[in-house]
mmCIF file of all heavy atoms in Angstrom:
data_model
loop_
_atom_site.group_PDB
_atom_site.id
_atom_site.type_symbol
_atom_site.label_atom_id
_atom_site.label_comp_id
_atom_site.label_asym_id
_atom_site.label_seq_id
_atom_site.Cartn_x
_atom_site.Cartn_y
_atom_site.Cartn_z
ATOM 1 N N TYR A 15 -54.148 83.483 89.030
ATOM 2 C CA TYR A 15 -54.443 84.264 90.194
ATOM 3 C C TYR A 15 -54.719 83.345 91.383
ATOM 4 O O TYR A 15 -55.520 82.431 91.335
ATOM 5 C CB TYR A 15 -55.613 85.237 89.962
ATOM 6 C CG TYR A 15 -56.039 85.945 91.200
ATOM 7 C CD1 TYR A 15 -55.190 86.831 91.848
ATOM 8 C CD2 TYR A 15 -57.311 85.771 91.725
ATOM 9 C CE1 TYR A 15 -55.651 87.563 92.993
ATOM 10 C CE2 TYR A 15 -57.726 86.410 92.834
ATOM 11 C CZ TYR A 15 -56.894 87.335 93.473
ATOM 12 O OH TYR A 15 -57.325 88.003 94.576
ATOM 13 N N SER A 16 -54.076 83.605 92.545
ATOM 14 C CA SER A 16 -54.365 82.937 93.822
ATOM 15 C C SER A 16 -54.657 84.086 94.863
ATOM 16 O O SER A 16 -53.822 84.805 95.177
ATOM 17 C CB SER A 16 -53.144 82.158 94.254
ATOM 18 O OG SER A 16 -53.266 81.781 95.630
ATOM 19 N N ARG A 17 -55.867 84.017 95.401
ATOM 20 C CA ARG A 17 -56.274 85.016 96.362
ATOM 21 C C ARG A 17 -55.423 84.817 97.641
ATOM 22 O O ARG A 17 -55.027 85.797 98.302
ATOM 23 C CB ARG A 17 -57.758 84.876 96.739
ATOM 24 C CG ARG A 17 -58.283 85.983 97.598
ATOM 25 C CD ARG A 17 -59.793 85.905 97.744
ATOM 26 N NE ARG A 17 -60.458 86.159 96.497
ATOM 27 C CZ ARG A 17 -60.728 87.345 96.017
ATOM 28 N NH1 ARG A 17 -60.312 88.449 96.677
ATOM 29 N NH2 ARG A 17 -61.326 87.457 94.790
ATOM 30 N N ARG A 18 -55.151 83.660 98.039
ATOM 31 C CA ARG A 18 -54.392 83.438 99.234
ATOM 32 C C ARG A 18 -52.960 83.901 99.112
ATOM 33 O O ARG A 18 -52.445 84.619 100.001
ATOM 34 C CB ARG A 18 -54.334 81.859 99.511
ATOM 35 C CG ARG A 18 -53.598 81.534 100.779
ATOM 36 C CD ARG A 18 -53.649 80.023 101.048
ATOM 37 N NE ARG A 18 -52.913 79.611 102.232
ATOM 38 C CZ ARG A 18 -52.841 78.362 102.666
ATOM 39 N NH1 ARG A 18 -53.435 77.432 102.056
ATOM 40 N NH2 ARG A 18 -52.168 78.151 103.780
ATOM 41 N N PHE A 19 -52.299 83.601 97.936
ATOM 42 C CA PHE A 19 -50.961 84.103 97.744
ATOM 43 C C PHE A 19 -50.916 85.602 97.675
ATOM 44 O O PHE A 19 -50.044 86.323 98.263
ATOM 45 C CB PHE A 19 -50.332 83.539 96.462
ATOM 46 C CG PHE A 19 -48.977 84.084 96.185
ATOM 47 C CD1 PHE A 19 -47.843 83.562 96.697
ATOM 48 C CD2 PHE A 19 -48.854 85.161 95.291
ATOM 49 C CE1 PHE A 19 -46.585 84.096 96.479
ATOM 50 C CE2 PHE A 19 -47.580 85.707 94.969
ATOM 51 C CZ PHE A 19 -46.476 85.133 95.570
ATOM 52 N N THR A 20 -51.914 86.215 97.011
ATOM 53 C CA THR A 20 -51.975 87.675 96.815
ATOM 54 C C THR A 20 -52.155 88.324 98.198
ATOM 55 O O THR A 20 -51.524 89.342 98.460
ATOM 56 C CB THR A 20 -53.081 88.050 95.911
ATOM 57 O OG1 THR A 20 -52.855 87.453 94.586
ATOM 58 C CG2 THR A 20 -53.178 89.553 95.727
ATOM 59 N N GLY A 21 -52.964 87.725 99.038
ATOM 60 C CA GLY A 21 -53.098 88.262 100.404
ATOM 61 C C GLY A 21 -51.842 88.255 101.260
ATOM 62 O O GLY A 21 -51.493 89.300 101.857
ATOM 63 N N TRP A 22 -51.108 87.164 101.119
ATOM 64 C CA TRP A 22 -49.813 87.120 101.804
ATOM 65 C C TRP A 22 -48.851 88.082 101.259
ATOM 66 O O TRP A 22 -48.187 88.815 101.984
ATOM 67 C CB TRP A 22 -49.226 85.682 101.697
ATOM 68 C CG TRP A 22 -47.828 85.588 102.203
ATOM 69 C CD1 TRP A 22 -47.415 85.394 103.416
ATOM 70 C CD2 TRP A 22 -46.630 85.707 101.340
ATOM 71 N NE1 TRP A 22 -46.046 85.438 103.503
ATOM 72 C CE2 TRP A 22 -45.539 85.621 102.249
ATOM 73 C CE3 TRP A 22 -46.401 85.913 100.044
ATOM 74 C CZ2 TRP A 22 -44.200 85.718 101.844
ATOM 75 C CZ3 TRP A 22 -45.073 86.040 99.573
ATOM 76 C CH2 TRP A 22 -43.974 85.925 100.476
ATOM 77 N N PHE A 23 -48.762 88.225 99.886
ATOM 78 C CA PHE A 23 -47.765 89.102 99.304
ATOM 79 C C PHE A 23 -48.124 90.571 99.594
ATOM 80 O O PHE A 23 -47.307 91.362 99.754
ATOM 81 C CB PHE A 23 -47.763 88.857 97.765
ATOM 82 C CG PHE A 23 -46.681 89.532 97.104
ATOM 83 C CD1 PHE A 23 -45.360 89.029 97.152
ATOM 84 C CD2 PHE A 23 -46.849 90.726 96.377
ATOM 85 C CE1 PHE A 23 -44.340 89.658 96.469
ATOM 86 C CE2 PHE A 23 -45.852 91.313 95.714
ATOM 87 C CZ PHE A 23 -44.539 90.804 95.781
ATOM 88 N N SER A 24 -49.436 90.864 99.676
ATOM 89 C CA SER A 24 -49.829 92.259 99.932
ATOM 90 C C SER A 24 -49.364 92.610 101.372
ATOM 91 O O SER A 24 -48.939 93.727 101.526
ATOM 92 C CB SER A 24 -51.389 92.329 99.848
ATOM 93 O OG SER A 24 -51.785 92.096 98.576
ATOM 94 N N ARG A 25 -49.499 91.738 102.297
ATOM 95 C CA ARG A 25 -49.055 92.032 103.698
ATOM 96 C C ARG A 25 -47.507 92.199 103.707
ATOM 97 O O ARG A 25 -46.982 93.148 104.400
ATOM 98 C CB ARG A 25 -49.382 90.912 104.600
ATOM 99 C CG ARG A 25 -50.951 90.854 104.884
ATOM 100 C CD ARG A 25 -51.268 89.897 106.014
ATOM 101 N NE ARG A 25 -50.993 88.483 105.610
ATOM 102 C CZ ARG A 25 -51.886 87.706 104.964
ATOM 103 N NH1 ARG A 25 -53.022 88.159 104.603
ATOM 104 N NH2 ARG A 25 -51.551 86.416 104.701
ATOM 105 N N TRP A 26 -46.769 91.415 102.958
ATOM 106 C CA TRP A 26 -45.311 91.568 102.821
ATOM 107 C C TRP A 26 -44.986 92.922 102.226
ATOM 108 O O TRP A 26 -44.038 93.608 102.695
ATOM 109 C CB TRP A 26 -44.769 90.371 102.068
ATOM 110 C CG TRP A 26 -43.259 90.416 101.989
ATOM 111 C CD1 TRP A 26 -42.433 90.045 102.959
ATOM 112 C CD2 TRP A 26 -42.446 90.831 100.851
ATOM 113 N NE1 TRP A 26 -41.087 90.156 102.530
ATOM 114 C CE2 TRP A 26 -41.120 90.674 101.284
ATOM 115 C CE3 TRP A 26 -42.728 91.291 99.618
ATOM 116 C CZ2 TRP A 26 -40.020 90.974 100.420
ATOM 117 C CZ3 TRP A 26 -41.693 91.618 98.757
ATOM 118 C CH2 TRP A 26 -40.334 91.413 99.207
ATOM 119 N N ILE A 27 -45.645 93.283 101.153
ATOM 120 C CA ILE A 27 -45.419 94.601 100.559
ATOM 121 C C ILE A 27 -45.725 95.736 101.519
ATOM 122 O O ILE A 27 -44.962 96.753 101.452
ATOM 123 C CB ILE A 27 -46.309 94.779 99.224
ATOM 124 C CG1 ILE A 27 -45.752 93.775 98.164
ATOM 125 C CG2 ILE A 27 -46.285 96.115 98.744
ATOM 126 C CD1 ILE A 27 -44.323 94.052 97.689
ATOM 127 N N GLY A 28 -46.753 95.566 102.270
ATOM 128 C CA GLY A 28 -47.052 96.672 103.294
ATOM 129 C C GLY A 28 -45.879 96.866 104.187
ATOM 130 O O GLY A 28 -45.533 98.044 104.592
ATOM 131 N N GLY A 29 -45.297 95.816 104.696
ATOM 132 C CA GLY A 29 -44.112 95.885 105.543
ATOM 133 C C GLY A 29 -42.941 96.495 104.859
ATOM 134 O O GLY A 29 -42.187 97.290 105.451
ATOM 135 N N MET A 30 -42.808 96.161 103.555
ATOM 136 C CA MET A 30 -41.665 96.713 102.754
ATOM 137 C C MET A 30 -41.783 98.229 102.621
ATOM 138 O O MET A 30 -40.832 98.933 102.729
ATOM 139 C CB MET A 30 -41.700 95.990 101.392
ATOM 140 C CG MET A 30 -40.533 96.282 100.552
ATOM 141 S SD MET A 30 -40.658 95.366 98.964
ATOM 142 C CE MET A 30 -39.114 95.778 98.172
ATOM 143 N N PHE A 31 -43.020 98.683 102.398
ATOM 144 C CA PHE A 31 -43.177 100.129 102.192
ATOM 145 C C PHE A 31 -42.906 100.867 103.602
ATOM 146 O O PHE A 31 -42.383 101.964 103.597
ATOM 147 C CB PHE A 31 -44.657 100.440 101.825
ATOM 148 C CG PHE A 31 -44.796 100.504 100.280
ATOM 149 C CD1 PHE A 31 -45.049 99.369 99.558
ATOM 150 C CD2 PHE A 31 -44.596 101.685 99.621
ATOM 151 C CE1 PHE A 31 -45.105 99.416 98.197
ATOM 152 C CE2 PHE A 31 -44.692 101.810 98.233
ATOM 153 C CZ PHE A 31 -44.950 100.632 97.501
ATOM 154 N N ARG A 32 -43.341 100.213 104.717
ATOM 155 C CA ARG A 32 -43.023 100.838 105.973
ATOM 156 C C ARG A 32 -41.562 100.969 106.288
ATOM 157 O O ARG A 32 -41.092 101.893 106.880
ATOM 158 C CB ARG A 32 -43.709 100.074 107.147
ATOM 159 C CG ARG A 32 -45.266 100.247 107.169
ATOM 160 C CD ARG A 32 -45.847 99.628 108.430
ATOM 161 N NE ARG A 32 -45.905 98.151 108.320
ATOM 162 C CZ ARG A 32 -46.848 97.501 107.760
ATOM 163 N NH1 ARG A 32 -47.968 98.161 107.319
ATOM 164 N NH2 ARG A 32 -46.811 96.165 107.713
ATOM 165 N N LYS A 33 -40.783 100.070 105.729
ATOM 166 C CA LYS A 33 -39.341 100.073 105.969
ATOM 167 C C LYS A 33 -38.650 101.072 105.029
ATOM 168 O O LYS A 33 -37.671 101.753 105.372
ATOM 169 C CB LYS A 33 -38.740 98.679 105.772
ATOM 170 C CG LYS A 33 -39.111 97.663 106.874
ATOM 171 C CD LYS A 33 -38.520 96.323 106.545
ATOM 172 C CE LYS A 33 -38.903 95.260 107.635
ATOM 173 N NZ LYS A 33 -38.322 93.936 107.318
ATOM 174 N N ARG A 34 -39.147 101.176 103.777
ATOM 175 C CA ARG A 34 -38.363 101.880 102.762
ATOM 176 C C ARG A 34 -38.837 103.341 102.585
ATOM 177 O O ARG A 34 -38.117 104.155 102.073
ATOM 178 C CB ARG A 34 -38.540 101.135 101.379
ATOM 179 C CG ARG A 34 -37.988 99.689 101.413
ATOM 180 C CD ARG A 34 -36.518 99.690 101.563
ATOM 181 N NE ARG A 34 -35.932 98.337 101.554
ATOM 182 C CZ ARG A 34 -35.575 97.734 100.508
ATOM 183 N NH1 ARG A 34 -35.690 98.362 99.322
ATOM 184 N NH2 ARG A 34 -35.146 96.484 100.525
ATOM 185 N N PHE A 35 -40.129 103.649 103.030
ATOM 186 C CA PHE A 35 -40.635 104.981 102.786
ATOM 187 C C PHE A 35 -40.954 105.574 104.160
ATOM 188 O O PHE A 35 -41.468 104.879 105.059
ATOM 189 C CB PHE A 35 -41.902 104.903 101.842
ATOM 190 C CG PHE A 35 -41.508 104.597 100.454
ATOM 191 C CD1 PHE A 35 -41.634 103.228 100.019
ATOM 192 C CD2 PHE A 35 -41.170 105.532 99.544
ATOM 193 C CE1 PHE A 35 -41.265 102.892 98.769
ATOM 194 C CE2 PHE A 35 -40.828 105.226 98.249
ATOM 195 C CZ PHE A 35 -40.865 103.902 97.841
#
Side-chain angles (χ1 to χ4, degrees):
Y15 176 64
S16 166
R17 186 173 296 276
R18 182 177 180 180
F19 176 83
T20 300
W22 171 84
F23 191 76
S24 297
R25 291 189 292 274
W26 184 76
I27 289 297
M30 189 177 182
F31 270 88
R32 283 189 289 272
K33 291 179 181 178
R34 300 294 183 88
F35 291 93

